[in-house]
Amino acid sequence: MTEYNFRQIEETILKKWEQTDIFKSCEDKKRDKFYILEMFPYPSGRIHMGHVRNYAIGDVVNRYLRMKGKNTLHPMGWDAFGMPAENAAIKSGIHPAKWTYENIDYMKKQLKRLGFSYDWDREITTCIPEYYRWNQWIFLKMLEKGIAYRKSAVVNWCPHDMTVLANEQVIEGRCWRCDTPVVQKEIPSWFLRITDYAEILLDDLEELKDNWPEAVLTMQKNWIGKSVGATVRFPVENSTAVIEVFTTRPDTLYGVTFMAIAPEHSLSLELSKGTEQETDVEDFVQKYLTMSTRERNIVEEKEGVFTGRYAINPLTGERIPIYIANYVLWGYGTGAIMAVPAHDERDHEFAKKYSIPIKPVIQPPEEWDFGEKAYEGEGVLINSDGFDGLHSAQAKEKITQLLEEKGIGEKTVNFRLRDWNISRQRYWGTPIPVVYCDSCGIVPVPEEQLPVILPENVQFTGMGNPLEKNEEFVKTECPKCRREARRETDTMDTFVDSSWYFLRYCDPKNEKEPFSTEKTDYWMPVDLYIGGIEHAVLHLLYSRFFTKFLKEIGLVNVKEPFVKLLTQGMVLKKWVKIEKLLEILHVSSDDSIETLIGKLTFYGDITDAKVENTTIKEFMEKNHLTLNDNAKLLFDKLNIPQNILREFEEKYGKSDKMSKSKHNTVDPDEMIKKYGADTIRLYILFAAPPHSSFDWTDSGIEGAHRFLKRVWNFVSEKLEEIKGVEYSREDFKKSA
Amino acid sequence: MELVNELYSYKGKNKKLLKEAIENLILLLSPFTPFMSDYLWRLIGNEGFTIEQKFPEYDEDALVEKEKEIPVQVNGKVRAKIKVPADVDEETVKTIAFENESVKKWTEGKEIVKVIFIKGKILNIVVRG
Ligand SMILES: [Zn+2]
Ligand SMILES: [Zn+2]
């Protein structure tokens, strides 16, 4: 009997698979199709266990359905544009293309080695012109239909490097490269009018109800954020200026005691001019404009400044002080609010801090201390003139009606969803196909001139967009008047690439169109889409938006791209901090290394341990370790075998998502070497139901491995007995 | 996993049955462990790949015992384990249980207050006296 030699088995079979085309798929109208898709990865360098789980789930479904007679489509590709490649270029000089393609090569080998049954003939790489030319083509269609447009947008700007920074490149309000404080700057950008689709994107969530996780539907719903209310216009006293607000609570209009506007609001500096508040306002606005968006979101304390000016409540004629406040967000609604401290907790907090009156206009159902807390519920109106005694629901309607009659406001449906800014001032993305001409203005690149190729020859200095400095690229001829013109140097948000890649898989080599409708008619929609919950909002929403747009222009015939969505759970791994280990062992960091090692002898063989004549603290300092580091690192330095730590981890460890910083990762390559791909697959698939997270354990993977050994041994034991045996189903009918 | 245990305990001499069972095992495992499945598939004398084969239908599987062992509790204590068909109905379980010697011992001469059967899991008997 032979041993279970998984390496030899897997390498032999892998070769056999490579020589055949068993994983290929093609349209066959006579058979039922099933399109199974896993979210394609960013080629970051190596596959991690999260990927393995994601793809193993998809693979088992594909293989099973194939065996059940379904005509399946199971493709894979690369979300290949994006920041890490460009950052690598800035840091180490390697070209983003080279970096990306090398990673793809490596990761593709890993995926094959794991036995995933992809139709590699349909592989998509988003950074090749054959793919991104269709991004450009779709963009032009959107431009033609008025869905793409240009307006100014606020970006993070490093004044030292003169460059736009992505949110990820802003670290604690500073530039990731030069540590200069980041400022906000407005620059012209390209937007997609996804807000035109807000209503349908919301309504069609209903169709996905039983097939998408509840959490994802809720997140999308909240992201779209539909609210019904009223727009109200408050005139500014002694001025022609008017402050427009949106409120979902017109029933509280009689309780407005102040107004607040965002620091970015066009009136914020203007209002205070000439008042004694002028310098205070300037300081305040300055402070907030130089903060990054992320930083501002972290500030919890409500803060504001009086502008020295008043607005008039258009219903009551009351004078209301106008403040600038940090909790009013620009780009949300109108960037101004009517504040009702009696019935809104945030307004309440602000009013208390700045001693602004609190005026109740809704009677709470129980006794209420308005000095303590806002009553945010609905109820019967009080202190509201002719509306007293009405219930909130009625009052909302009646008051909105009155606003409309008086011309000072109207019923409004508001969405939280904003238009999608797709402009990125960086190199490694799809060039936006427009040209700027002094005589003709903005001119779309004609379809037959696509693709606008991303030039390879650029310098990565980290300052500005490298494309701007490539004259060969920038200088071009105006497609309309043939005079000299300049190309757009913004590239597209990489979310554009992933918003329609599932359509391209249906027809990946089409050179005449993004895909043929005939092919997508057969394969679409995706029957099962598997990926992480982190994509619950943006990627899935954008894909739904693109699908709806492409349906409108007659390219696809489905309303929704993904029938069933599975958001798989995470692969966690328990780990123990040095601090915890010492605590368990009742050792202090002032004790000696010898004491620590002495204690550990009870847990296993540590005869090879390196004993140093220092305290634990000194040893750690010398080796750049802190109490928050993984105890594994300390064990490494002390030359203590890791298996001793296992017991501590399983008993006392903290479950966390695998991450490099916590040193609690398990490398798929290492596991393949140690146990083989079959064992990893079996373990990962049986460890927990697909949507739940689970702790990766050594005992778990060893259990799976033992099981496979058992299967192997059993079959090889019986091999002689069954060799050459022929049977048919009929044989059993008699005996059974 | 149970199938493997069943197979291990199979002592019969019917080679055809054994071969079919092994093939089914290989095919059942194939979506999870395709390397080993394809390798064994060829090793036992077949051609091609498991993904091209039909996935075994459970109810056609001749070898796997369609019996299940379920515990019988009398007043909360397990007094016996009985073998019953996997998709057994309540009446049959009761009949089999009350014929069991050990169950008899704990129930005979007593008043049966209640019999609760949780399908496929357990049979609970409550007695008085
Ligand atoms: Zn900088
Ligand atoms: Zn021109």
Side-chain angles (χ1 to χ4, degrees):
Chain A
M1 198 178 82
T2 53
E3 281 270 290
Y4 172 40
N5 185 345
F6 58 85
R7 190 165 310 133
Q8 188 252 330
I9 291 171
E10 295 183 0
E11 277 164 14
T12 308
I13 292 299
L14 195 58
K15 263 190 219 128
K16 297 246 185 279
W17 287 343
E18 296 274 301
Q19 290 157 6
T20 65
D21 54 5
I22 47 167
F23 304 135
K24 283 199 195 355
S25 31
C26 57
E27 300 77 44
D28 178 354
K29 295 215 168 88
K30 279 176 249 115
R31 287 166 67 203
D32 271 354
K33 69 94 186 181
F34 194 96
Y35 185 176
I36 169 151
L37 184 63
E38 299 116 47
M39 292 180 187
F40 65 167
Y42 178 75
S44 54
R46 295 283 185 274
I47 293 290
H48 57 68
M49 244 358 138
H51 290 128
V52 177
R53 185 169 190 205
N54 188 168
Y55 307 149
I57 296 168
D59 198 58
V60 81
V61 174
N62 181 55
R63 287 175 177 275
Y64 172 73
L65 290 177
R66 277 273 173 116
M67 293 173 79
K68 281 291 207 181
K70 290 267 196 233
N71 190 25
T72 66
L73 174 59
H74 187 222
M76 187 35 86
W78 312 97
D79 193 7
F81 274 137
M83 289 239 315
E86 196 160 342
N87 290 346
I90 296 168
K91 279 190 169 150
S92 55
I94 179 167
H95 195 280
K98 186 170 176 335
W99 187 87
T100 304
Y101 290 125
E102 280 175 7
N103 288 345
I104 289 176
D105 272 353
Y106 190 86
M107 290 168 79
K108 190 170 170 180
K109 277 196 197 99
Q110 286 185 301
L111 295 184
K112 287 187 169 179
R113 184 62 189 78
L114 283 158
F116 297 141
S117 53
Y118 296 122
D119 179 355
W120 284 108
D121 276 359
R122 292 175 185 262
E123 180 178 7
I124 282 173
T125 307
T126 58
C127 64
I128 61 172
E130 290 77 9
Y131 183 81
Y132 70 66
R133 68 173 296 171
W134 301 112
N135 282 344
Q136 296 173 337
W137 186 91
I138 293 169
F139 175 87
L140 292 178
K141 288 284 170 234
M142 288 184 163
L143 194 61
E144 197 184 302
K145 304 281 175 202
I147 297 299
Y149 67 99
R150 199 165 147 85
K151 74 165 186 193
S152 92
V154 178
V155 294
N156 300 310
W157 176 258
C158 171
H160 175 265
D161 295 335
M162 305 284 284
T163 200
V164 176
L165 300 174
N167 278 332
E168 303 89 293
Q169 293 175 316
V170 182
I171 318 258
E172 287 169 357
R174 290 166 184 276
C175 170
W176 68 300
R177 285 184 69 240
C178 68
D179 222 28
T180 307
V182 169
V183 296
Q184 308 275 293
K185 194 182 164 186
E186 287 207 17
I187 56 166
S189 303
W190 286 98
F191 283 81
L192 300 184
R193 220 180 283 280
I194 188 174
T195 53
D196 273 13
Y197 295 78
E199 199 83 57
I200 184 102
L201 286 168
L202 184 69
D203 290 348
D204 286 353
L205 287 175
E206 197 61 30
E207 288 186 16
L208 306 172
K209 225 170 168 184
D210 299 317
N211 290 314
W212 279 36
E214 193 62 46
V216 176
L217 294 174
T218 307
M219 279 189 268
Q220 293 228 345
K221 202 173 154 199
N222 292 342
W223 189 263
I224 297 167
K226 180 180 178 175
S227 52
V228 180
T231 300
V232 191
R233 287 177 286 277
F234 288 70
V236 177
E237 190 187 48
N238 302 325
S239 158
T240 54
V242 169
I243 300 175
E244 199 176 80
V245 303
F246 169 79
T247 177
T248 56
R249 294 297 300 272
D251 54 321
T252 63
L253 246 169
Y254 287 84
V256 176
T257 57
F258 69 99
M259 297 196 76
I261 60 178
E264 296 89 344
H265 197 286
S266 56
L267 286 174
S268 70
L269 291 171
E270 197 185 311
L271 284 178
S272 65
K273 284 226 173 78
T275 74
E276 53 190 33
Q277 290 296 102
E278 192 170 345
T279 44
D280 284 359
V281 167
E282 271 172 17
D283 291 348
F284 183 83
V285 170
Q286 192 54 32
K287 174 177 162 190
Y288 277 94
L289 290 191
T290 51
M291 265 189 207
S292 70
T293 323
R294 187 176 285 189
E295 237 181 340
R296 257 187 74 181
N297 292 341
I298 296 168
V299 182
E300 274 183 22
E301 172 85 19
K302 304 215 172 5
E303 199 181 27
V305 60
F306 178 43
T307 58
R309 300 289 293 270
Y310 293 83
I312 305 295
N313 185 327
L315 269 194
T316 65
E318 283 170 295
R319 284 175 92 218
I320 307 159
I322 305 168
Y323 282 76
I324 298 167
N326 66 342
Y327 73 99
V328 182
L329 297 181
W330 185 237
Y332 250 29
T334 59
I337 59 163
M338 57 173 235
V340 187
H343 303 292
D344 182 283
E345 198 44 50
R346 292 173 314 163
D347 298 346
H348 190 272
E349 216 179 294
F350 191 88
K352 270 183 81 177
K353 183 166 176 181
Y354 295 101
S355 310
I356 301 168
I358 296 166
K359 181 186 169 196
V361 290
I362 308 282
Q363 183 68 54
E366 69 241 57
E367 204 167 303
W368 199 271
D369 180 0
F370 280 99
E372 202 45 55
K373 232 173 117 195
Y375 171 70
E376 294 191 323
E378 301 199 331
V380 176
L381 271 70
I382 50 170
N383 302 325
S384 300
D385 271 353
F387 299 100
D388 285 0
L390 287 183
H391 189 271
S392 291
Q394 281 173 297
K396 279 180 188 173
E397 260 179 53
K398 290 263 159 72
I399 291 177
T400 308
Q401 230 168 39
L402 183 62
L403 292 173
E404 284 176 356
E405 278 163 24
K406 291 191 161 190
I408 49 180
E410 56 275 321
K411 183 176 176 183
T412 307
V413 176
N414 200 40
F415 289 94
R416 185 185 168 275
L417 184 67
R418 303 286 103 196
D419 278 342
W420 174 12
N421 177 357
I422 59 157
S423 274
R424 296 293 178 271
Q425 292 69 31
R426 22 196 74 259
Y427 166 74
W428 194 231
T430 306
I432 293 177
V434 293
V435 157
Y436 300 99
C437 166
D438 286 340
S439 336
C440 316
I442 298 173
V443 185
V445 173
E447 227 176 278
E448 58 279 7
Q449 284 179 27
L450 296 183
V452 175
I453 299 266
L454 185 68
E456 296 240 332
N457 177 26
V458 288
Q459 297 300 314
F460 299 95
T461 58
M463 291 190 237
N465 178 352
L467 281 180
E468 279 171 1
K469 291 172 201 103
N470 184 317
E471 277 299 306
E472 243 176 278
F473 175 78
V474 174
K475 263 199 193 163
T476 184
E477 186 183 74
C478 170
K480 256 193 194 160
C481 70
R482 304 277 162 222
R483 267 180 281 225
E484 198 180 295
R486 299 179 62 78
R487 276 192 198 284
E488 173 62 88
T489 56
D490 284 357
T491 54
M492 294 182 195
D493 181 358
T494 58
F495 273 114
V496 171
D497 314 347
S498 54
S499 291
W500 68 282
Y501 77 113
F502 44 89
L503 296 164
R504 182 74 180 170
Y505 278 137
C506 301
D507 191 11
K509 298 201 171 99
N510 199 325
E511 287 173 6
K512 300 203 173 61
E513 43 189 353
F515 48 83
S516 90
T517 307
E518 202 193 330
K519 299 255 166 99
T520 52
D521 276 351
Y522 180 75
W523 291 114
M524 285 298 288
V526 174
D527 296 280
L528 176 61
Y529 195 30
I530 311 172
I533 187 115
E534 67 273 19
H535 296 293
V537 178
L538 297 183
H539 163 57
L540 292 169
L541 192 66
Y542 293 153
S543 299
R544 296 180 60 222
F545 160 50
F546 263 57
T547 304
K548 289 181 192 306
F549 173 77
L550 293 170
K551 179 165 192 290
E552 248 172 42
I553 63 169
L555 236 62
V556 291
N557 288 307
V558 293
K559 273 167 85 178
E560 286 290 332
F562 314 121
V563 177
K564 188 171 176 64
L565 175 70
L566 171 66
T567 49
Q568 89 275 359
M570 288 186 289
V571 184
L572 313 171
K573 177 86 167 62
K574 284 186 172 180
W575 66 293
V576 173
K577 285 184 185 181
I578 295 177
E579 190 177 26
K580 184 83 195 174
L581 177 77
L582 299 182
E583 191 191 307
I584 300 163
L585 296 169
H586 301 290
V587 173
S588 128
S589 55
D590 291 322
D591 288 330
S592 67
I593 287 289
E594 216 182 327
T595 313
L596 174 65
I597 289 181
K599 295 253 179 174
L600 286 171
T601 48
F602 295 110
Y603 295 89
D605 177 21
I606 53 169
T607 40
D608 290 334
K610 214 165 73 180
V611 187
E612 277 190 38
N613 198 13
T614 60
T615 65
I616 299 170
K617 204 184 207 162
E618 285 162 349
F619 183 83
M620 279 169 49
E621 268 165 28
K622 204 179 96 190
N623 290 290
H624 311 289
L625 296 174
T626 74
L627 287 171
N628 284 327
D629 282 324
N630 194 330
K632 194 168 140 187
L633 301 179
L634 181 63
F635 271 43
D636 280 345
K637 296 287 178 201
L638 290 169
N639 202 26
I640 299 174
Q642 296 291 338
N643 61 355
I644 294 177
L645 197 55
R646 221 204 244 189
E647 193 182 322
F648 293 105
E649 280 173 353
E650 288 188 8
K651 243 190 188 156
Y652 305 102
K654 186 170 170 285
S655 279
D656 266 315
K657 188 180 173 185
M658 291 184 182
S659 80
K660 279 189 186 136
S661 63
K662 295 189 185 92
H663 293 272
N664 66 336
T665 55
V666 176
D667 177 30
D669 281 352
E670 252 174 62
M671 292 295 110
I672 290 174
K673 238 186 244 161
K674 201 164 170 190
Y675 302 108
D678 277 340
T679 297
I680 302 178
R681 295 170 57 113
L682 189 71
Y683 172 50
I684 230 167
L685 290 165
F686 275 96
H691 57 270
S692 330
S693 297
F694 76 92
D695 280 316
W696 181 283
T697 63
D698 294 325
S699 49
I701 185 132
E702 278 158 16
H705 195 60
R706 266 198 309 277
F707 171 79
L708 290 186
K709 267 190 190 159
R710 248 163 91 79
V711 175
W712 174 267
N713 290 344
F714 172 72
V715 179
S716 25
E717 227 174 75
K718 305 283 180 191
L719 208 53
E720 282 310 311
E721 275 183 63
I722 59 170
K723 238 184 194 163
V725 173
E726 306 263 340
Y727 70 89
S728 75
R729 299 269 156 205
E730 294 305 307
D731 294 337
F732 307 126
K733 291 231 166 104
K734 282 168 266 161
S735 62
Chain B
M1 309 245 171
E2 273 170 35
L3 179 63
V4 180
N5 293 332
E6 290 286 351
L7 286 175
Y8 258 109
S9 60
Y10 179 74
K11 295 283 186 296
K13 286 273 172 276
N14 187 335
K15 287 186 179 177
K16 290 183 177 178
L17 212 56
L18 181 65
K19 176 151 187 186
E20 197 217 13
I22 287 175
E23 284 192 349
N24 280 348
L25 171 68
I26 291 169
L27 295 177
L28 282 170
L29 282 173
S30 163
F32 301 94
T33 59
F35 290 107
M36 184 197 260
S37 292
D38 277 1
Y39 195 88
L40 289 176
W41 183 252
R42 287 157 172 258
L43 200 65
I44 62 172
N46 295 307
E47 281 175 3
F49 299 94
T50 51
I51 197 172
E52 301 164 317
Q53 308 303 316
K54 257 191 90 179
F55 196 77
E57 302 283 342
Y58 295 98
D59 49 0
E60 279 176 26
D61 190 349
L63 184 83
V64 181
E65 293 272 315
K66 292 200 198 83
E67 276 191 351
K68 228 184 139 100
E69 202 177 55
I70 69 163
V72 182
Q73 286 195 352
V74 182
N75 286 358
K77 285 213 170 85
V78 177
R79 297 302 184 188
K81 286 189 175 161
I82 55 170
K83 283 208 165 181
V84 297
D87 54 351
V88 71
D89 62 278
E90 184 162 347
E91 278 317 301
T92 319
V93 177
K94 280 189 199 164
T95 316
I96 298 172
F98 284 111
E99 277 166 10
N100 181 288
E101 284 307 313
S102 175
V103 176
K104 265 188 195 162
K105 192 178 137 199
W106 292 97
T107 55
E108 249 171 4
K110 293 180 181 159
E111 182 196 347
I112 311 288
V113 183
K114 216 189 248 172
V115 181
I116 307 152
F117 175 53
I118 298 166
K119 201 166 163 48
K121 292 243 166 64
I122 197 164
L123 184 76
N124 273 313
I125 304 170
V126 183
V127 296
R128 196 164 22 205

